Coordinates of all heavy atoms in Angstrom, one line a residue:
M239 N -7.1 -0.8 8.0 CA -8.4 -1.0 8.5 C -8.8 -2.5 8.3 O -8.7 -3.0 7.2 CB -9.3 0.0 7.8 CG -10.8 -0.2 7.9 SD -11.7 1.3 7.9 CE -10.9 2.4 6.7
S240 N -9.2 -3.2 9.3 CA -9.6 -4.6 9.1 C -11.0 -4.6 8.5 O -11.7 -3.5 8.3 CB -9.6 -5.4 10.4 OG -10.8 -5.2 11.1
L241 N -11.4 -5.7 8.1 CA -12.8 -5.8 7.5 C -13.7 -6.4 8.5 O -13.3 -7.0 9.5 CB -12.7 -6.7 6.2 CG -11.7 -6.3 5.1 CD1 -12.0 -7.1 3.9 CD2 -11.9 -4.8 4.8
K242 N -15.0 -6.3 8.2 CA -16.0 -6.9 9.2 C -17.1 -7.6 8.3 O -17.3 -7.2 7.2 CB -16.6 -5.9 10.1 CG -17.4 -4.9 9.4 CD -18.1 -4.0 10.5 CE -19.0 -3.0 9.8 NZ -19.7 -2.1 10.7
I243 N -17.7 -8.6 9.0 CA -18.8 -9.3 8.3 C -20.1 -8.8 8.8 O -20.3 -8.8 10.1 CB -18.6 -10.8 8.5 CG1 -17.3 -11.3 7.8 CG2 -19.8 -11.6 8.0 CD1 -16.9 -12.7 8.1
T244 N -21.0 -8.5 8.0 CA -22.3 -7.9 8.4 C -23.3 -9.1 8.6 O -23.0 -10.2 8.2 CB -22.9 -6.9 7.4 OG1 -23.3 -7.7 6.2 CG2 -21.8 -5.9 7.0
D245 N -24.5 -8.7 9.1 CA -25.5 -9.8 9.4 C -26.1 -10.3 8.1 O -27.1 -11.1 8.2 CB -26.5 -9.3 10.5 CG -27.2 -8.1 10.1 OD1 -27.1 -7.7 8.9 OD2 -27.9 -7.5 10.9
E246 N -25.7 -9.8 7.0 CA -26.2 -10.4 5.7 C -25.5 -11.7 5.4 O -25.9 -12.4 4.4 CB -26.0 -9.4 4.6 CG -26.9 -8.2 4.6 CD -26.4 -7.2 3.6 OE1 -26.7 -7.3 2.4 OE2 -25.6 -6.3 4.0
C247 N -24.5 -12.1 6.2 CA -23.8 -13.3 6.0 C -24.7 -14.5 6.0 O -25.6 -14.6 6.8 CB -22.7 -13.4 7.1 SG -21.9 -15.0 7.2
I248 N -24.5 -15.4 5.0 CA -25.4 -16.6 4.9 C -24.6 -17.9 5.4 O -25.0 -19.0 5.1 CB -25.9 -16.7 3.5 CG1 -24.7 -16.8 2.5 CG2 -26.9 -15.6 3.1 CD1 -25.1 -17.3 1.0
N249 N -23.5 -17.7 6.1 CA -22.7 -18.8 6.6 C -22.4 -19.8 5.5 O -22.6 -21.0 5.7 CB -23.5 -19.5 7.7 CG -23.5 -18.6 9.0 OD1 -22.7 -17.7 9.1 ND2 -24.5 -18.8 9.8
C250 N -21.9 -19.3 4.3 CA -21.7 -20.3 3.3 C -20.3 -21.0 3.4 O -20.0 -21.8 2.6 CB -21.7 -19.5 1.9 SG -20.4 -18.4 1.7
D251 N -19.5 -20.5 4.4 CA -18.2 -21.2 4.6 C -17.1 -20.9 3.6 O -16.0 -21.4 3.6 CB -18.3 -22.7 4.7 CG -19.3 -23.2 5.8 OD1 -19.5 -22.4 6.7 OD2 -19.9 -24.3 5.5
V252 N -17.4 -20.0 2.7 CA -16.4 -19.7 1.6 C -15.2 -18.9 2.1 O -14.1 -19.1 1.7 CB -17.1 -19.0 0.4 CG1 -16.0 -18.4 -0.6 CG2 -17.9 -20.0 -0.4
C253 N -15.4 -17.9 2.9 CA -14.4 -17.0 3.3 C -13.4 -17.5 4.2 O -12.2 -17.2 4.2 CB -15.0 -15.7 3.9 SG -16.0 -16.0 5.3
E254 N -13.8 -18.4 5.2 CA -12.9 -18.8 6.2 C -11.6 -19.5 5.7 O -10.5 -19.1 6.1 CB -13.7 -19.7 7.2 CG -13.0 -20.1 8.5 CD -12.4 -21.5 8.4 OE1 -12.8 -22.3 7.7 OE2 -11.4 -21.6 9.2
P255 N -11.7 -20.4 4.8 CA -10.5 -21.1 4.3 C -9.6 -20.2 3.3 O -8.5 -20.6 3.2 CB -11.0 -22.3 3.5 CG -12.4 -22.0 3.2 CD -12.9 -21.1 4.2
V256 N -10.1 -19.1 2.8 CA -9.3 -18.3 1.9 C -8.5 -17.2 2.6 O -7.7 -16.6 2.0 CB -10.1 -17.7 0.7 CG1 -10.8 -18.8 -0.1 CG2 -11.1 -16.7 1.2
C257 N -8.8 -17.1 3.9 CA -8.1 -16.0 4.7 C -6.6 -16.5 4.9 O -6.5 -17.5 5.6 CB -8.8 -15.7 5.9 SG -7.9 -14.5 6.9
P258 N -5.6 -15.8 4.5 CA -4.2 -16.2 4.7 C -3.8 -16.0 6.2 O -2.7 -16.6 6.6 CB -3.4 -15.3 3.8 CG -4.3 -14.0 3.7 CD -5.7 -14.5 3.7
N259 N -4.5 -15.3 7.0 CA -4.2 -15.0 8.3 C -5.0 -15.7 9.4 O -4.8 -15.5 10.6 CB -4.3 -13.5 8.6 CG -3.3 -12.7 7.8 OD1 -2.2 -13.1 7.5 ND2 -3.6 -11.5 7.4
E260 N -5.8 -16.6 8.9 CA -6.8 -17.3 9.8 C -7.5 -16.4 10.7 O -7.6 -16.6 11.9 CB -6.0 -18.4 10.6 CG -5.4 -19.5 9.7 CD -4.5 -20.5 10.4 OE1 -4.6 -20.5 11.7 OE2 -3.9 -21.3 9.7
A261 N -7.9 -15.3 10.1 CA -8.6 -14.2 10.9 C -10.1 -14.5 11.0 O -10.8 -13.8 11.8 CB -8.3 -12.9 10.3
I262 N -10.6 -15.4 10.2 CA -12.1 -15.5 10.1 C -12.5 -16.8 10.9 O -11.9 -17.9 10.7 CB -12.5 -15.7 8.6 CG1 -12.1 -14.4 7.9 CG2 -14.1 -15.8 8.5 CD1 -12.4 -14.5 6.4
Y263 N -13.5 -16.7 11.7 CA -14.0 -17.8 12.5 C -15.5 -17.7 12.7 O -16.1 -16.7 12.5 CB -13.3 -17.8 13.9 CG -13.6 -16.5 14.7 CD1 -14.7 -16.5 15.6 CD2 -12.9 -15.3 14.5 CE1 -15.0 -15.3 16.3 CE2 -13.2 -14.2 15.2 CZ -14.3 -14.2 16.1 OH -14.6 -13.0 16.8
M264 N -16.0 -18.9 13.0 CA -17.5 -18.9 13.2 C -17.8 -18.3 14.5 O -17.3 -18.8 15.6 CB -18.0 -20.4 13.1 CG -19.4 -20.6 13.1 SD -20.2 -19.9 11.6 CE -21.9 -19.7 12.2
G265 N -18.6 -17.3 14.5 CA -19.1 -16.6 15.8 C -20.3 -17.3 16.3 O -20.6 -18.5 15.9
E266 N -21.1 -16.6 17.1 CA -22.3 -17.2 17.7 C -23.3 -17.5 16.7 O -24.0 -18.5 16.7 CB -22.8 -16.3 18.8 CG -22.1 -16.5 20.1 CD -22.8 -15.6 21.2 OE1 -24.0 -15.4 21.1 OE2 -22.0 -15.2 22.1
E267 N -23.5 -16.6 15.7 CA -24.5 -16.8 14.6 C -23.9 -16.8 13.3 O -24.4 -17.5 12.4 CB -25.6 -15.7 14.8 CG -26.4 -15.9 16.0 CD -27.5 -14.9 16.1 OE1 -27.8 -14.1 15.2 OE2 -28.2 -14.9 17.2
I268 N -23.0 -15.9 13.0 CA -22.4 -15.8 11.7 C -20.9 -15.7 11.8 O -20.4 -15.7 12.9 CB -22.9 -14.5 10.9 CG1 -22.6 -13.3 11.8 CG2 -24.3 -14.6 10.6 CD1 -22.8 -12.0 11.1
Y269 N -20.2 -15.8 10.7 CA -18.8 -15.7 10.7 C -18.4 -14.3 11.1 O -19.0 -13.3 10.9 CB -18.2 -16.0 9.3 CG -18.1 -17.5 9.0 CD1 -19.1 -18.2 8.5 CD2 -16.9 -18.2 9.4 CE1 -19.0 -19.6 8.3 CE2 -16.8 -19.5 9.2 CZ -17.8 -20.2 8.6 OH -17.7 -21.6 8.4
E270 N -17.2 -14.3 11.8 CA -16.6 -13.0 12.3 C -15.2 -12.9 11.9 O -14.5 -13.9 11.6 CB -16.8 -12.9 13.8 CG -18.3 -12.9 14.2 CD -18.5 -12.8 15.7 OE1 -17.6 -12.3 16.5 OE2 -19.5 -13.2 16.2
I271 N -14.7 -11.6 12.0 CA -13.2 -11.4 11.7 C -12.6 -10.8 12.9 O -13.0 -9.9 13.5 CB -13.1 -10.4 10.5 CG1 -13.7 -11.0 9.2 CG2 -11.7 -10.0 10.3 CD1 -13.7 -10.1 8.0
D272 N -11.4 -11.4 13.2 CA -10.6 -10.9 14.3 C -9.8 -9.8 13.8 O -8.9 -9.9 13.0 CB -9.7 -12.0 14.9 CG -8.9 -11.6 16.1 OD1 -8.7 -10.4 16.3 OD2 -8.4 -12.5 16.8
P273 N -10.1 -8.5 14.3 CA -9.4 -7.3 13.8 C -7.9 -7.4 14.1 O -7.1 -6.7 13.4 CB -10.1 -6.2 14.5 CG -10.7 -6.8 15.7 CD -11.1 -8.2 15.3
H274 N -7.5 -8.2 15.0 CA -6.0 -8.2 15.4 C -5.3 -9.1 14.3 O -4.1 -9.0 14.2 CB -5.8 -8.8 16.7 CG -6.5 -8.0 17.8 ND1 -6.1 -6.7 18.1 CD2 -7.5 -8.2 18.6 CE1 -6.9 -6.2 19.1 NE2 -7.8 -7.1 19.4
L275 N -6.0 -9.9 13.6 CA -5.4 -10.8 12.6 C -5.6 -10.4 11.2 O -4.8 -10.8 10.3 CB -5.9 -12.2 12.8 CG -5.6 -12.9 14.2 CD1 -6.2 -14.3 14.2 CD2 -4.1 -13.0 14.4
C276 N -6.6 -9.6 10.9 CA -6.9 -9.1 9.5 C -6.0 -8.0 9.1 O -5.8 -7.0 9.8 CB -8.3 -8.7 9.4 SG -8.7 -8.0 7.8
T277 N -5.3 -8.2 7.9 CA -4.4 -7.2 7.4 C -5.0 -6.7 6.1 O -4.2 -6.1 5.3 CB -3.0 -7.8 7.1 OG1 -3.1 -8.8 6.1 CG2 -2.3 -8.3 8.3
E278 N -6.2 -6.9 5.8 CA -6.8 -6.6 4.5 C -6.1 -7.4 3.4 O -6.0 -7.0 2.2 CB -6.8 -5.1 4.1 CG -7.9 -4.3 4.8 CD -7.9 -2.9 4.3 OE1 -7.9 -2.7 3.1 OE2 -7.9 -2.0 5.2
C279 N -5.5 -8.5 3.8 CA -4.6 -9.3 2.9 C -3.3 -8.7 2.5 O -2.6 -9.2 1.7 CB -5.4 -9.8 1.7 SG -6.6 -11.2 2.2
V280 N -3.0 -7.5 3.1 CA -1.7 -6.9 2.8 C -0.6 -7.8 3.1 O -0.6 -8.5 4.2 CB -1.6 -5.6 3.6 CG1 -0.1 -5.1 3.6 CG2 -2.5 -4.5 3.0
G281 N 0.4 -7.9 2.2 CA 1.5 -8.9 2.4 C 1.3 -10.2 1.8 O 2.2 -10.9 1.5
H282 N 0.0 -10.5 1.5 CA -0.3 -11.8 0.9 C -0.9 -11.7 -0.5 O -0.5 -12.4 -1.5 CB -1.3 -12.6 1.7 CG -0.8 -13.1 3.0 ND1 0.0 -14.2 3.1 CD2 -0.9 -12.6 4.3 CE1 0.4 -14.4 4.4 NE2 -0.2 -13.4 5.2
F283 N -1.9 -10.8 -0.7 CA -2.6 -10.7 -1.9 C -2.9 -9.2 -2.2 O -2.8 -8.3 -1.3 CB -4.0 -11.4 -1.9 CG -3.9 -12.9 -1.6 CD1 -4.1 -13.4 -0.4 CD2 -3.5 -13.7 -2.7 CE1 -4.0 -14.8 -0.2 CE2 -3.4 -15.1 -2.5 CZ -3.7 -15.6 -1.2
D284 N -3.2 -8.9 -3.5 CA -3.4 -7.5 -3.9 C -4.8 -7.0 -3.4 O -5.0 -5.8 -3.3 CB -3.4 -7.4 -5.5 CG -2.0 -7.6 -6.0 OD1 -1.1 -7.4 -5.2 OD2 -1.9 -7.8 -7.2
Q285 N -5.7 -8.0 -3.2 CA -7.0 -7.5 -2.7 C -7.6 -8.5 -1.7 O -7.1 -9.7 -1.7 CB -8.0 -7.4 -3.9 CG -8.0 -8.4 -4.9 CD -9.1 -8.2 -6.0 OE1 -10.2 -7.7 -5.7 NE2 -8.8 -8.4 -7.2
P286 N -8.4 -8.0 -0.8 CA -8.9 -8.9 0.3 C -9.7 -10.1 -0.3 O -10.6 -10.0 -1.0 CB -9.9 -8.0 1.0 CG -9.4 -6.6 0.7 CD -8.9 -6.6 -0.7
Q287 N -9.1 -11.3 0.1 CA -9.7 -12.5 -0.5 C -11.1 -12.8 -0.1 O -11.9 -13.3 -0.8 CB -8.7 -13.7 -0.1 CG -7.3 -13.5 -0.7 CD -7.3 -13.5 -2.2 OE1 -7.6 -14.6 -2.9 NE2 -7.1 -12.4 -2.8
C288 N -11.4 -12.5 1.2 CA -12.7 -12.8 1.7 C -13.8 -12.0 0.9 O -14.8 -12.5 0.5 CB -12.9 -12.5 3.2 SG -12.4 -10.9 3.7
Q289 N -13.4 -10.7 0.7 CA -14.3 -9.8 -0.1 C -14.5 -10.3 -1.5 O -15.6 -10.3 -2.1 CB -13.7 -8.4 -0.2 CG -14.3 -7.4 0.7 CD -13.7 -6.0 0.5 OE1 -12.7 -5.8 -0.2 NE2 -14.2 -5.0 1.2
L290 N -13.4 -10.8 -2.1 CA -13.4 -11.3 -3.5 C -14.3 -12.5 -3.6 O -15.0 -12.6 -4.6 CB -11.9 -11.7 -3.8 CG -11.6 -11.9 -5.3 CD1 -11.8 -10.6 -6.1 CD2 -10.1 -12.4 -5.3
F291 N -14.3 -13.3 -2.7 CA -15.1 -14.6 -2.8 C -16.5 -14.6 -2.2 O -17.3 -15.4 -2.5 CB -14.3 -15.8 -2.2 CG -13.1 -16.2 -3.1 CD1 -11.8 -15.7 -2.8 CD2 -13.3 -16.9 -4.2 CE1 -10.7 -16.1 -3.6 CE2 -12.2 -17.3 -5.0 CZ -10.9 -16.9 -4.7
C292 N -16.8 -13.6 -1.3 CA -18.1 -13.7 -0.7 C -19.2 -13.5 -1.7 O -19.2 -12.5 -2.4 CB -18.1 -12.6 0.4 SG -19.7 -12.5 1.2
P293 N -20.1 -14.4 -1.7 CA -21.2 -14.4 -2.8 C -22.3 -13.3 -2.5 O -23.0 -13.0 -3.4 CB -21.8 -15.8 -2.7 CG -21.5 -16.3 -1.4 CD -20.2 -15.7 -0.9
V294 N -22.3 -12.8 -1.3 CA -23.4 -11.8 -1.0 C -22.8 -10.5 -0.7 O -23.5 -9.6 -0.3 CB -24.3 -12.3 0.2 CG1 -25.1 -13.5 -0.2 CG2 -23.5 -12.6 1.5
D295 N -21.5 -10.3 -0.8 CA -20.9 -9.0 -0.7 C -21.2 -8.3 0.7 O -21.6 -7.2 0.7 CB -21.4 -8.1 -1.9 CG -20.5 -7.0 -2.2 OD1 -19.3 -7.0 -1.7 OD2 -20.9 -6.0 -2.9
C296 N -20.9 -9.1 1.7 CA -21.2 -8.6 3.0 C -20.0 -8.4 3.9 O -20.1 -8.5 5.1 CB -22.2 -9.5 3.7 SG -21.5 -11.1 4.2
I297 N -18.9 -8.0 3.3 CA -17.6 -7.8 4.1 C -17.0 -6.4 3.8 O -16.1 -6.3 3.0 CB -16.6 -8.9 3.8 CG1 -17.3 -10.3 3.7 CG2 -15.5 -8.9 4.9 CD1 -16.3 -11.5 3.5
P298 N -17.6 -5.4 4.4 CA -17.1 -4.1 4.2 C -15.9 -3.8 5.1 O -15.5 -4.6 6.0 CB -18.3 -3.2 4.6 CG -19.0 -4.0 5.6 CD -18.8 -5.4 5.2
Q299 N -15.3 -2.6 4.9 CA -14.2 -2.2 5.9 C -14.9 -1.9 7.2 O -16.0 -1.5 7.3 CB -13.5 -1.0 5.3 CG -12.6 -1.4 4.1 CD -11.7 -0.2 3.7 OE1 -12.1 0.9 3.8 NE2 -10.5 -0.6 3.3
D300 N -14.1 -2.0 8.3 CA -14.6 -1.8 9.6 C -14.1 -0.4 10.1 O -12.9 -0.3 10.5 CB -14.1 -2.9 10.5 CG -14.6 -2.8 11.9 OD1 -15.3 -1.8 12.2 OD2 -14.3 -3.7 12.7
P301 N -15.0 0.6 10.1 CA -14.6 1.9 10.5 C -14.1 2.0 12.0 O -13.5 3.0 12.4 CB -15.8 2.8 10.3 CG -17.0 1.8 10.3 CD -16.4 0.5 9.8
D302 N -14.4 1.0 12.8 CA -13.9 0.9 14.2 C -12.4 0.5 14.3 O -11.9 0.6 15.3 CB -14.7 0.0 15.0 CG -16.2 0.5 15.2 OD1 -16.3 1.7 15.1 OD2 -17.1 -0.3 15.5
H303 N -11.9 0.1 13.2 CA -10.5 -0.4 13.2 C -9.7 0.2 12.0 O -9.4 -0.5 11.0 CB -10.4 -1.9 13.1 CG -11.0 -2.6 14.4 ND1 -12.2 -3.1 14.5 CD2 -10.4 -2.7 15.6 CE1 -12.4 -3.5 15.7 NE2 -11.3 -3.4 16.4
V304 N -9.5 1.5 12.1 CA -8.9 2.3 11.0 C -7.4 2.1 11.1 O -6.8 2.2 12.2 CB -9.2 3.8 11.1 CG1 -8.5 4.6 10.0 CG2 -10.7 4.0 11.0
E305 N -6.7 1.7 10.0 CA -5.3 1.5 9.9 C -4.8 2.0 8.6 O -5.5 1.8 7.6 CB -4.9 0.0 10.1 CG -5.1 -0.5 11.5 CD -5.2 -2.0 11.5 OE1 -6.2 -2.6 10.9 OE2 -4.4 -2.7 12.1
T306 N -3.6 2.5 8.5 CA -3.0 2.9 7.3 C -2.3 1.6 6.6 O -2.2 0.6 7.3 CB -1.8 3.9 7.5 OG1 -0.8 3.3 8.3 CG2 -2.3 5.1 8.3
S307 N -2.0 1.8 5.4 CA -1.4 0.6 4.7 C 0.0 0.3 5.4 O 0.4 -0.9 5.4 CB -1.2 0.8 3.2 OG -0.8 2.1 2.9
E308 N 0.7 1.3 5.9 CA 1.9 1.0 6.6 C 1.7 0.2 7.9 O 2.4 -0.8 8.2 CB 2.7 2.3 7.0 CG 3.3 3.1 5.8 CD 2.2 3.8 5.0 OE1 1.1 4.1 5.5 OE2 2.5 4.2 3.9
Q309 N 0.6 0.5 8.6 CA 0.3 -0.2 9.8 C -0.1 -1.6 9.5 O 0.2 -2.6 10.2 CB -0.9 0.5 10.6 CG -0.4 1.8 11.3 CD -1.6 2.5 11.8 OE1 -2.6 2.7 11.2 NE2 -1.4 3.0 13.1
L310 N -0.8 -1.8 8.3 CA -1.3 -3.1 7.9 C 0.0 -4.0 7.6 O 0.0 -5.2 7.9 CB -2.2 -3.1 6.8 CG -3.6 -2.5 7.1 CD1 -4.4 -2.2 5.8 CD2 -4.4 -3.5 8.0
L311 N 0.9 -3.4 6.9 CA 2.2 -4.1 6.6 C 2.9 -4.5 7.8 O 3.5 -5.6 7.9 CB 3.0 -3.2 5.7 CG 4.1 -3.9 4.9 CD1 3.6 -5.1 4.1 CD2 4.9 -2.9 4.1
E312 N 3.0 -3.6 8.8 CA 3.6 -3.9 10.1 C 2.9 -5.1 10.8 O 3.6 -5.9 11.4 CB 3.6 -2.7 11.0 CG 4.7 -1.6 10.7 CD 6.1 -2.2 10.6 OE1 6.5 -2.9 11.5 OE2 6.8 -2.0 9.6
K313 N 1.6 -5.0 10.7 CA 0.8 -6.1 11.3 C 1.1 -7.5 10.6 O 1.4 -8.5 11.3 CB -0.7 -5.8 11.2 CG -1.5 -6.6 12.2 CD -3.0 -6.7 11.7 CE -3.8 -5.4 12.2 NZ -5.2 -5.6 11.9
Y314 N 1.2 -7.4 9.3 CA 1.6 -8.6 8.5 C 2.9 -9.1 9.0 O 3.1 -10.3 9.2 CB 1.6 -8.2 7.1 CG 2.3 -9.2 6.2 CD1 1.8 -10.4 5.9 CD2 3.6 -8.9 5.7 CE1 2.5 -11.3 5.1 CE2 4.3 -9.7 4.9 CZ 3.8 -11.0 4.6 OH 4.5 -11.8 3.8
K315 N 3.9 -8.3 9.1 CA 5.3 -8.7 9.5 C 5.3 -9.3 10.9 O 5.9 -10.3 11.2 CB 6.2 -7.5 9.5 CG 6.6 -7.1 8.0 CD 7.5 -5.9 8.0 CE 7.8 -5.3 6.7 NZ 8.4 -4.0 6.7
M316 N 4.5 -8.7 11.8 CA 4.4 -9.2 13.2 C 3.8 -10.6 13.2 O 4.2 -11.5 13.8 CB 3.6 -8.2 14.0 CG 3.6 -8.5 15.5 SD 2.3 -7.6 16.3 CE 0.9 -8.4 15.7
L317 N 2.7 -10.8 12.4 CA 2.0 -12.1 12.3 C 2.9 -13.2 11.8 O 2.9 -14.3 12.3 CB 0.7 -11.9 11.5 CG -0.4 -11.1 12.1 CD1 -1.5 -10.9 11.1 CD2 -0.9 -11.8 13.4
I318 N 3.7 -12.8 10.7 CA 4.6 -13.7 10.1 C 5.7 -14.1 11.1 O 6.1 -15.3 11.3 CB 5.3 -13.1 8.8 CG1 4.2 -13.0 7.7 CG2 6.4 -14.0 8.4 CD1 3.7 -14.3 7.2
A319 N 6.2 -13.2 11.9 CA 7.2 -13.4 12.9 C 6.7 -14.3 14.0 O 7.3 -15.3 14.4 CB 7.7 -12.1 13.5
Q320 N 5.4 -14.1 14.4 CA 4.8 -14.9 15.4 C 4.7 -16.4 14.9 O 4.9 -17.3 15.6 CB 3.4 -14.4 15.8 CG 3.5 -13.2 16.7 CD 2.1 -12.7 17.0 OE1 1.1 -13.1 16.4 NE2 2.0 -11.7 17.9
K321 N 4.3 -16.5 13.6 CA 4.0 -17.8 13.1 C 5.3 -18.6 13.0 O 5.4 -19.8 13.4 CB 3.4 -17.6 11.7 CG 2.5 -18.8 11.2 CD 1.8 -18.4 10.0 CE 0.7 -19.4 9.7 NZ 0.0 -19.0 8.5
S322 N 6.4 -17.9 12.5 CA 7.6 -18.7 12.4 C 8.2 -19.0 13.8 O 8.9 -20.0 14.0 CB 8.6 -17.9 11.5 OG 8.9 -16.6 12.0
A323 N 7.9 -18.2 14.8 CA 8.4 -18.4 16.1 C 7.7 -19.7 16.7 O 8.3 -20.4 17.5 CB 8.2 -17.2 17.0
S324 N 6.4 -19.9 16.3 CA 5.7 -21.0 16.9 C 5.9 -22.3 16.2 O 5.4 -23.3 16.6 CB 4.2 -20.6 17.0 OG 3.7 -20.5 15.7
N325 N 6.6 -22.2 15.0 CA 6.8 -23.4 14.2 C 8.1 -24.2 14.7 O 9.0 -23.6 15.3 CB 6.9 -23.1 12.8 CG 5.5 -22.9 12.1 OD1 4.6 -23.3 12.7 ND2 5.5 -22.3 11.0
Ligands
SF4_692 FE1 -8.6 -12.5 6.1 FE2 -7.8 -10.9 4.1 FE3 -10.4 -11.1 4.7 FE4 -8.7 -9.9 6.4 S1 -9.2 -9.2 4.3 S2 -10.2 -11.3 6.9 S3 -6.8 -11.0 6.1 S4 -9.1 -12.7 3.9
SF4_693 FE1 -20.6 -15.1 5.2 FE2 -19.7 -14.1 3.0 FE3 -18.1 -15.6 4.5 FE4 -20.1 -16.7 3.1 S1 -18.2 -15.7 2.3 S2 -19.6 -17.1 5.3 S3 -21.6 -15.1 3.2 S4 -19.0 -13.6 5.0

């Protein structure tokens, strides 16, 4: 399940650089997470880095994008393969 940023976001810029998948970007008003790129940090870290660093705790799981840990690992592998193919 990818994570999502709620409207409590204060645009502090902390989460965007800590995401290993470059899944976080500035949206129209607040930061947003691309569910196709978020792996909950599976494959990179033991816990979601954005959640860990967000000072206002506004990054819950996104119930609209439910995935198992196996699916998240597959997504991680696919993203790594895409990255090495484009390098
Ligand atoms: Fe990026 Fe990890 Fe946050 Fe997903 S959980 S948006 S991969 S930092
Ligand atoms: Fe918003 Fe939290 Fe990211 Fe800061 S760390 S930009 S408050 S989601």
Side-chain angles (χ1 to χ4, degrees):
M239 165 146 43
S240 88
L241 304 189
K242 67 173 183 181
I243 294 172
T244 72
D245 59 11
E246 288 167 84
C247 172
I248 56 169
N249 291 337
C250 72
D251 306 329
V252 165
C253 57
E254 192 259 333
V256 300
C257 176
N259 293 328
E260 296 177 11
I262 303 176
Y263 60 96
M264 187 64 199
E266 277 184 30
E267 292 184 4
I268 55 171
Y269 277 89
E270 295 180 24
I271 292 176
D272 183 340
H274 301 295
L275 297 179
C276 175
T277 63
E278 281 188 49
C279 285
V280 165
H282 291 283
F283 298 101
D284 289 343
Q285 44 179 321
Q287 297 297 289
C288 55
Q289 256 181 357
L290 193 63
F291 286 100
C292 177
V294 294
D295 203 13
C296 68
I297 316 182
Q299 290 192 320
D300 183 354
D302 290 338
H303 293 98
V304 177
E305 290 160 294
T306 64
S307 43
E308 287 78 22
Q309 287 172 315
L310 289 170
L311 195 57
E312 281 307 309
K313 196 200 280 189
Y314 160 76
K315 287 178 186 167
M316 190 195 68
L317 291 170
I318 291 295
Q320 279 177 356
K321 210 170 189 177
S322 55
S324 67
N325 281 341

